[in-house]
Amino acid sequence: MTDGDTNLPPIERKLGLQIWSIENMKMVPVPEKAYGTFFEGDCYIILHVKRSSRGSAVDLHYWIGKDSSQDEQGAAAMYVTQLDNALRGNPVQHREVQGHESETFQSYFRNGIIYKKGGAASGFKHVETNMYNIKRLLHVKGKKHVSATEVALSWDSFNKGDVFLLDLGKVLIQWNGPSCSIAEKTRGVALARSIRDSERGGRAQIGIIDNERDSPDLMQIMKMVLGERHGELRDAIPDVKADELQKANVRLYHVYEKDSDLVVQEIATRPLTQDLLQHEDCYILDQGGFKIYVWRGKSSSLEEKKAAFTRALGFIQAKGYPSSTNIEVINDGSESAMFKQLFQRWTEKDETQGLGKVYTTGKIAKVKQVKFDTTQLHVRPELAAEQRMVDDASGEIEVWRIEDLQMQPVDPKTYGQFYGGDCYLILYTYLRSGRPHYVLYMWQGRHASVDEITACALNAIELDKKYGDEAVQVRVTMGKEPVHFLAIFKGKLIIYEGGTSRAQKSTPEPGIRLFQVRGTDEMNTKATEVPARASSLNSNDVFLLTTSQVCYLWCGKGCSGDEREMAKMVADIVSKRDKHTILEGQEPAEFWEALGGKAPYASEKRFQEQITHYQPRLFECSNQTGRFIMTEVVGFCQEDLDEDDVMLLDTWEEIFLWVGKASNTYERNEAIASAKEYLKTHPAGRDLATPIILVKQGYEPLNFTGWFNAWDPYKWSDGKSYEEMKNSLGDVSAISEIKVDLNNISLNKKTLSMTNLAGSNTTSASSEYKSHFNHSDSNSYNYNSNYNSNSSPSLVPNGEGIYSREVLMNKTVDELPEGVDPTKKEYYLSDADFHDIFGKSKDEFYQMPKWKQQNEKKQCGLF
């Protein structure tokens, strides 16, 4: 196959996922029902298209099975290059190796990835619905990103910390290790249900073993398959993951050829800046050996672009990195969110600011405040998120100062005045849907002692407890006050550089003070004390200069009328002296004298601050191993917030920590430390004063939920817990006789109670389904891995036109006895079985409305 070949199959330009396997060096489409299942001896090509702010975002992956041939790997890489050309260089390209897939790749398969033995050469290629000739053991790993690998059918494959799935075709037994978390068990159930519904057409039963002693019957089946277990189970082997310190070690290399040699020249380390990337060249960005990015400039040569993967592989070998290292090829102008956030600042040409205003890079303009309609916040939570507003700031405020490590109430007359030598707690209460919600701000002065900052955090925890642990906690560093914090003080927020608001002040207040006032209305105004010298002035703003005799309002040439009005309101608070308004250029000598004489100051029009819109990113945090590890959830939704997790949502301007109700105490207590560590180790060199917001499950504010598509406020009350999920699989009270014929070993136990074994009736797998089986000993129910018509339950009716329930329940038309009307399966049950299943007689049943009959038949597997 040469570069000029056009061996590509027809590619549909559609949103979503398309997958091909490489068979005989050709791309062969994989049926949708088999998406998420990969044969270890094959290579695959995956195309994913989703909507984005720029139209569509395209990701192109080639996946390498651990037993695939070099020829297949080469063919997959070549096809990816051809697809990239066909799609005009728009896709972000990824090289994926089995067991080391990128977070983006794993996000496509919500129920998990299944690795199967074999490949094209094995003759068994695709997942067949109703395929029961199966006997395998799957090792299920992961909380957020689940993978299931086929392992040896032996107790030696088990460990204490993971989920294992014994798949016997008609029966799936999920064995949960004693050290498994709720999230891992839940993901295991989701995977088992996915196999049942997609591979078995819904006609399989799921049994769950949480505690071996409580499930003797399921354990007996496992022992018949795996043999007796000898010795202790081994401990789980923790996943080898890169920690944040490793990921922060970013290095940029210029890659080029010189005299037929590949030259790799290091040009920069963290923090990287966007201007290092020249459009005429190609670069390799090494993220601590965790991931390798190849950036291809728009004006780089065709040869350079084609050699991207080859160069990346050569780089990996030269560095001695594992061959499984992720590679991502990025095109100039189509960079992924992950790539952009490795740089200190990333701007787009003609980027949109705020609510739809577009500015061109470098344009000089007066900074304009965007006013928005606060009444829209509840209707449009995405607006609340974008504007960083919890509500319209009309709630109630209480303020305490930390004094002698205790909370001391602040006089309401001085609300909004904060001193750099103090720490404060601000409780904001607002109503939503008729009930109170709370935001607890912890304001930390620049000159406050470490003891006071610690006491502030501890008192915040105690105050939170008084309000039922419902408060959203926000850490605010002096000078980095979030928008909502400004809004709740209605234009009267004043930040004093030092000193304290305590009654007994250790040092006298300075006689001369200078305040810079910025803001156009009550929602966005703040006055900040700056050094009282002329060089602090700025022509774009209003300044207040207070002396013992007078208060000057100095209006720069670039300030607006609204800014002057807000400054007048602040002036009445900072000084009781006469107010003198002076315009820039008309200052009296006394003004300059108070500032210590004239000096140069900023007088150019302020550049329009271009707001870069970073894509929000969600991470699962863990530092229990002593290493700070984060797992990203790509394309996140509310379902990714698990009750036993602490999750970090990075919106760039603030960091949210979401704490699940069932999260462990250690991770809850370390949540703030984790967020600080995240900022500290971020490759882009983030501002350590970025606000950190602690959010509790069930009490999420609008400026958090707005980042999630279709947030369901009732999920936590209506959503199913793990136990509920387990119970909804069904309740099989008894099975008269089970035969498992595996390698000529049969288990034949009369009236074998299997409380945890459950079934499903259709592909939709109704969670209400309750299965019941004949309690008499006259009928046998036969599970056989080599399932065929000879091993199915006896088709001889018990009486004239009467069949046992096993013959009728959960059967397709083809599986039913001859002469049975598939629309009236229940009619062929004996009266005793009918009453046992439906809890009523046939006469009572047929008197019910038709829709109700259908519903009950669905629930009982007789539809």
Side-chain angles (χ1 to χ4, degrees), residues 206-256:
I206 300 171
I208 297 176
I209 299 173
D210 270 325
N211 185 322
E212 291 184 354
R213 272 183 251 169
D214 296 340
S215 310
D217 308 319
L218 291 178
M219 282 303 298
Q220 192 165 359
I221 292 177
M222 290 191 73
K223 286 172 184 175
M224 294 307 296
V225 178
L226 304 168
E228 286 292 332
R229 190 170 72 214
H230 303 288
E232 282 288 307
L233 288 168
R234 57 193 170 86
D235 291 329
I237 301 167
D239 293 331
V240 180
K241 286 188 177 180
D243 60 26
E244 295 311 292
L245 210 56
Q246 180 185 338
K247 291 181 189 176
N249 183 22
V250 290
R251 294 175 183 272
L252 188 67
Y253 298 84
H254 181 203
V255 185
Y256 58 96

Side-chain angles (χ1 to χ4, degrees), residues 561-578:
D562 288 340
E563 288 170 321
R564 286 195 289 271
E565 288 305 310
M566 292 312 300
K568 286 176 185 176
M569 188 168 80
V570 175
D572 289 332
I573 300 170
V574 298
S575 176
K576 303 300 177 193
R577 306 294 176 187
D578 290 341

Side-chain angles (χ1 to χ4, degrees), residues 472-487:
V472 172
Q473 296 180 30
V474 187
R475 184 200 72 155
V476 180
T477 304
M478 177 177 168
K480 292 289 180 180
E481 294 76 16
V483 176
H484 186 258
F485 189 83
L486 270 60

Side-chain angles (χ1 to χ4, degrees), residues 60 121 353 385 414 491 577 614 629 700 702 749 837:
L60 187 56
Q353 177 198 330
T414 63
R577 306 294 176 187
Y614 289 96
I629 293 172
E700 296 84 0
L702 286 174
K749 182 183 176 188
I837 292 169

Side-chain angles (χ1 to χ4, degrees), residues 532-701:
R533 48 177 178 260
S535 58
S536 298
L537 298 173
N538 188 311
S539 296
N540 295 282
D541 296 318
V542 180
F543 286 78
L544 302 176
L545 177 64
T546 66
T547 69
S548 54
Q549 283 87 32
V550 70
C551 175
Y552 294 104
L553 273 82
W554 182 86
C555 303
K557 289 176 181 176
C559 74
S560 67
D562 288 340
E563 288 170 321
R564 286 195 289 271
E565 288 305 310
M566 292 312 300
K568 286 176 185 176
M569 188 168 80
V570 175
D572 289 332
I573 300 170
V574 298
S575 176
K576 303 300 177 193
R577 306 294 176 187
D578 290 341
K579 311 298 184 299
H580 289 191
T581 301
I582 54 176
L583 301 178
E584 183 179 3
Q586 300 177 17
E587 302 86 354
E590 295 80 16
F591 176 83
W592 296 117
E593 193 177 310
L595 290 175
K598 286 188 179 183
Y601 58 85
S603 56
E604 295 294 319
K605 278 195 174 183
R606 184 177 289 126
F607 274 86
Q608 174 61 47
E609 289 181 26
Q610 193 174 33
I611 300 173
T612 303
H613 290 274
Y614 289 96
Q615 189 175 316
R617 298 172 72 187
L618 184 70
F619 300 86
E620 176 198 0
C621 308
S622 173
N623 55 6
Q624 282 190 289
T625 59
R627 295 164 64 235
F628 182 51
I629 293 172
M630 299 189 70
T631 306
E632 182 165 7
V633 182
V634 179
F636 63 84
C637 63
Q638 190 180 0
E639 292 294 325
D640 294 310
L641 302 174
D642 285 317
E643 290 198 349
D644 61 344
D645 277 339
V646 173
M647 305 292 288
L648 185 148
L649 177 67
D650 181 3
T651 67
W652 202 263
E653 287 187 31
E654 69 264 293
I655 301 293
F656 288 97
L657 283 163
W658 182 89
V659 180
K661 286 177 181 173
S663 57
N664 69 56
T665 307
Y666 178 82
E667 286 186 346
R668 277 203 306 274
N669 293 342
E670 292 296 313
I672 297 294
S674 295
K676 289 178 180 175
E677 185 72 10
Y678 171 76
L679 288 170
K680 188 178 173 184
T681 58
H682 199 283
R686 297 281 287 279
D687 187 344
L688 300 182
T690 302
I692 296 171
I693 303 171
L694 195 69
V695 174
K696 322 285 182 27
Q697 179 187 338
Y699 304 101
E700 296 84 0

